[in-house]
Amino acid sequence: MDTMAIVKRMTAPYERKALISPNLAYYMWRFVGNGRRVALKLGARPRHADARAIARDLMKQGISVAPAGRFLSDEGSAALAAAGAEIIAQSRSEEVQAIVSGERAASHGKKAFLVDLVRQGRMSPDSPLLKVALDVKLLEIVASYLGLWPCLHAVAGWLNYSTDTPAETSQLWHRDPEDLKLVKVFIYLEDVEEAQGPFTYIPRTQPFGSRAPQALKCQTKRVDDERMRKFFAPERWQVCTGPAGTMIVADTVGFHRGGKPTTGTRLLVTFTYTSGIPFVERSLSVTAMPDWISSPIQRHAIEPAVRAKSA
Ligand SMILES: O=C(O)CCC(=O)C(=O)O
């Protein structure tokens, strides 16, 4: 068996579990499976002075929420304005509105309560959304948190709408399966109040978080609110309402749920970042290496998705 297969076998039992302290599987994941990405991170000083402070906050809480300008460079903010305008226009198209109103059946994936507005198979390297996801400041924050140069794993644009069915899949409390530690980003493109099904998180339940030991008792795959109350009181739940432009950066191995509007819709873009050896296969593929890339951290983040296209 080769080294990578050994690392994979050692880490597999920790999918959808938050480690409470570093163990052998973690060190193998970090220094053997992702050794090169760790070395790249250690050898580079972040260009953005506050990237490390934001990552430290993330290490403590598992989540950081602020206006997008806190996490993005000026170029990233400009790309977000362009990408956001495109996605808002798409969400208002007749075709999408017919799905929201129930006149037309959606070609749903696993989630029968949202329209995914982004085609992430064979994505164009010139997509403004890719420019946001590969923003250097954002990547530096993710790298400081993960302790390695990350891979961009997925990109999506969701329009959630209300349904009559009980909460299901990601609308119930869960831990994400993509990697041992990971970062998900959500950027609201329209205001999100309680009624629009905000992203909701239990701080400090991420890997190595101070509530990870307490969360061990609650290891079911999907948990409803009634059951979660027995483990964590609702006062501990961070309900991420906010105006358009609110950005959430979180390790979603920590407990979270969201996306069940009771009225109206919720429109956001979301990115997932993993290490170089995720548990779950990458769904993103990009047709060519973007020629606007200005930094090696961007190249390393997108390289696997470009390779996926040519594979
Ligand atoms: O839609 C939400 O707010 C939650 C999304 C989620 O659970 C996920 O992406 O894993």
Side-chain angles (χ1 to χ4, degrees):
M1 202 188 295
D2 69 15
T3 317
M4 278 310 166
I6 294 170
V7 176
K8 287 198 168 196
R9 181 174 280 196
M10 287 180 76
T11 51
Y14 299 99
E15 186 181 321
R16 288 190 193 269
K17 301 211 167 68
L19 282 170
I20 56 174
S21 56
N23 61 6
L24 183 60
Y26 172 73
Y27 289 120
M28 292 290 281
W29 173 83
R30 189 156 175 197
F31 296 109
V32 181
N34 287 295
R36 187 165 148 65
R37 286 180 178 273
V38 170
L40 286 164
K41 150 77 180 62
L42 294 175
R45 243 180 105 81
R47 257 201 244 161
H48 296 87
D50 54 343
R52 282 193 181 133
I54 297 172
R56 271 198 297 277
D57 194 30
L58 204 52
M59 274 174 213
K60 191 166 174 201
Q61 299 297 334
I63 185 166
S64 182
V65 184
R70 173 149 165 76
F71 304 103
L72 297 175
S73 68
D74 292 346
E75 292 99 309
S77 295
L80 176 60
E86 262 181 28
I87 291 173
I88 290 171
Q90 227 181 310
S91 75
R92 293 180 183 160
S93 68
E94 256 178 52
E95 188 191 349
V96 171
Q97 285 305 313
I99 296 171
V100 171
S101 65
E103 281 162 40
R104 202 188 136 148
S107 52
H108 292 118
K110 274 187 249 158
K111 298 184 177 180
F113 46 80
L114 62 79
V115 187
D116 191 349
L117 301 164
V118 173
R119 302 253 170 278
Q120 61 173 344
R122 300 186 61 77
M123 200 174 202
S124 160
D126 295 322
S127 152
L129 199 55
L130 208 53
K131 286 195 182 144
V132 186
L134 293 177
D135 181 65
V136 174
K137 181 169 181 187
L138 179 56
L139 289 177
E140 287 180 352
I141 294 167
V142 176
S144 290
Y145 173 74
L146 294 178
L148 50 87
W149 274 11
C151 291
L152 181 60
H153 189 84
V155 172
W158 293 342
L159 181 68
N160 292 70
Y161 50 92
S162 58
T163 55
D164 297 333
T165 46
E168 55 182 304
T169 64
S170 56
Q171 297 174 328
L172 292 164
W173 294 101
H174 63 284
R175 296 182 177 285
D176 280 345
E178 287 88 345
D179 212 339
L180 212 59
K181 277 180 90 178
L182 63 99
V183 173
K184 264 195 192 174
V185 166
F186 301 90
I187 311 175
Y188 294 156
L189 299 182
E190 290 174 344
D191 299 354
V192 175
E193 305 285 344
E194 282 272 4
Q196 281 79 54
F199 178 82
T200 303
Y201 189 85
I202 305 183
R204 305 186 183 213
T205 57
Q206 79 282 6
F208 314 136
S210 61
R211 292 190 190 119
Q214 189 185 344
L216 275 181
K217 294 179 207 132
C218 181
Q219 281 298 8
T220 331
K221 195 170 164 195
R222 306 272 170 195
V223 181
D224 62 17
D225 283 2
E226 198 188 328
R227 182 164 149 78
M228 186 52 89
R229 271 190 212 104
K230 296 187 184 137
F231 298 98
F232 293 99
E235 299 78 67
R236 296 266 194 239
W237 305 355
Q238 184 169 346
V239 182
C240 302
T241 51
T246 297
M247 182 156 163
I248 300 156
V249 178
D251 185 335
T252 52
V253 177
F255 272 113
H256 65 287
R257 61 135 167 81
K260 184 153 181 49
T262 48
T263 53
T265 53
R266 187 191 67 169
L267 184 63
L268 56 74
V269 292
T270 171
F271 315 133
T272 306
Y273 303 89
T274 64
S275 76
I277 52 164
F279 293 131
V280 174
E281 206 182 318
R282 195 170 296 104
S283 32
L284 176 70
S285 75
V286 178
T287 53
M289 184 58 77
D291 59 9
W292 45 263
I293 272 177
S294 63
S295 160
I297 196 171
Q298 294 174 307
R299 181 173 298 277
H300 280 81
I302 198 63
E303 213 164 48
V306 175
R307 264 193 276 120
K309 177 254 151 193
S310 49

